[in-house]
Amino acid sequence: DAGVIQSPRHEVTEMGQEVTLRCKPISGHDYLFWYRQTMMRGLELLIYFNNNVPIDDSGMPEDRFSAKMPNASFSTLKIQPSEPRDSAVYFCASSFTGNEKLFFGSGTQLSVL
Amino acid sequence: DAKTTQPPSMDCAEGRAANLPCNHSTISGNEYVYWYRQIHSQGPQYIIHGLKNNETNEMASLIITEDRKSSTLILPHATLRDTAVYYCIVIIWRTYKYIFGTGTRLKVLA
């Protein structure tokens, strides 16, 4: 198994631009999580899905952030418009019912200039 | 969810056991203790978890005190590749809302 796949690995954009981060969970996993990591705030849970349905989005910082999971094998996290304070590493993770372990991707390093 | 307290950093000599403590004095009866680690620039990796009994797997051992207010992760023979940030998390079974704290930065010294 290839594990959780995130793309792009690095993203550099200018303030005000739309940014889309992508995630492919491990096949068969029914939970998907988006985390953000910064030096100041550590690892923060943004949102998680179960069977493609958002369960808890209380960690999403503001309306500029949105996440979708159109099917079991794909999810996106979109930031529109992006701001410099959004610069961080964004991780996607997946799990499956009864397992309780999170499997993380390699992350997307986002820099907003 | 119960909060955890971990020392910010620790050093360990290569080949020696690394003992990483975690305090979770407000843990409730249905909360499990999980340990993850994050090697520089990678995503966190699951290590081990337990409820009240001690647990061991190929990576580490987990010792939970009888009152469950604290636990210790033991890496029996630390190697340089074990240098990482180690996170202790308590979570209700099947709630999936993992909250990562600041963790312990373990440095294994040659």
Side-chain angles (χ1 to χ4, degrees), chain B:
Chain B
D1 292 330
K3 293 184 179 178
T4 63
T5 304
Q6 299 178 254
S9 64
M10 294 180 63
D11 290 341
C12 176
E14 189 178 20
R16 305 296 287 267
N19 297 285
L20 292 92
C22 180
N23 182 285
H24 31 80
S25 57
T26 60
I27 194 170
S28 57
N30 60 349
E31 288 183 311
Y32 283 69
V33 180
Y34 277 76
W35 284 82
Y36 282 76
R37 73 179 182 184
Q38 186 174 23
I39 297 171
H40 180 63
S41 79
Q42 298 180 19
Q45 174 192 25
Y46 167 85
I47 301 173
I48 198 168
H49 75 279
L51 181 63
K52 55 183 178 181
N53 297 320
N54 298 337
E55 302 287 345
T56 296
N57 63 21
E58 66 280 1
M59 289 183 70
S61 294
L62 174 61
I63 308 298
I64 303 175
T65 58
E66 192 170 342
D67 63 7
R68 302 185 71 238
K69 292 183 183 302
S70 66
S71 61
T72 301
L73 178 74
I74 301 172
L75 307 178
H77 305 287
T79 71
L80 298 178
R81 289 178 294 179
D82 292 322
T83 292
V85 177
Y86 288 76
Y87 298 97
C88 170
I89 304 160
V90 292
I91 185 169
I92 297 171
W93 181 252
R94 294 196 177 177
T95 57
Y96 288 94
K97 195 167 181 177
Y98 287 83
I99 307 298
F100 288 78
T102 53
T104 296
R105 187 173 297 276
L106 175 70
K107 182 184 287 187
V108 179
L109 307 173

Side-chain angles (χ1 to χ4, degrees), chain A:
Chain A
D1 199 324
V4 175
I5 300 173
Q6 292 187 246
S7 63
R9 192 77 171 90
H10 302 275
E11 177 80 39
V12 180
T13 190
E14 292 188 346
M15 183 173 64
Q17 296 297 307
E18 177 180 295
V19 175
T20 299
L21 312 180
R22 297 172 176 80
C23 176
K24 177 179 169 55
I26 294 172
S27 177
H29 284 196
D30 56 350
Y31 281 87
L32 185 137
F33 306 78
W34 282 101
Y35 281 85
R36 175 174 70 175
Q37 186 170 35
T38 61
M39 287 293 292
M40 291 294 295
R41 301 174 68 89
L43 263 167
E44 302 175 276
L45 176 62
L46 301 178
I47 184 171
Y48 75 94
F49 297 81
N50 178 224
N51 290 322
N52 313 335
V53 176
I55 302 302
D56 188 333
D57 65 354
S58 59
M60 295 286 265
E62 49 197 275
D63 291 346
R64 296 186 298 107
F65 285 69
S66 62
K68 294 182 180 180
M69 192 164 185
N71 57 63
S73 59
F74 184 67
S75 176
T76 60
L77 178 67
K78 186 175 294 186
I79 308 172
Q80 165 64 16
S82 59
E83 297 182 3
R85 60 192 168 121
D86 301 330
S87 297
V89 180
Y90 290 81
F91 287 104
C92 176
S94 69
S95 185
F96 62 93
T97 301
N99 182 276
E100 310 302 323
K101 303 173 191 175
L102 297 184
F103 296 82
F104 282 80
S106 299
T108 294
Q109 174 78 58
L110 173 65
S111 298
V112 183
L113 306 178

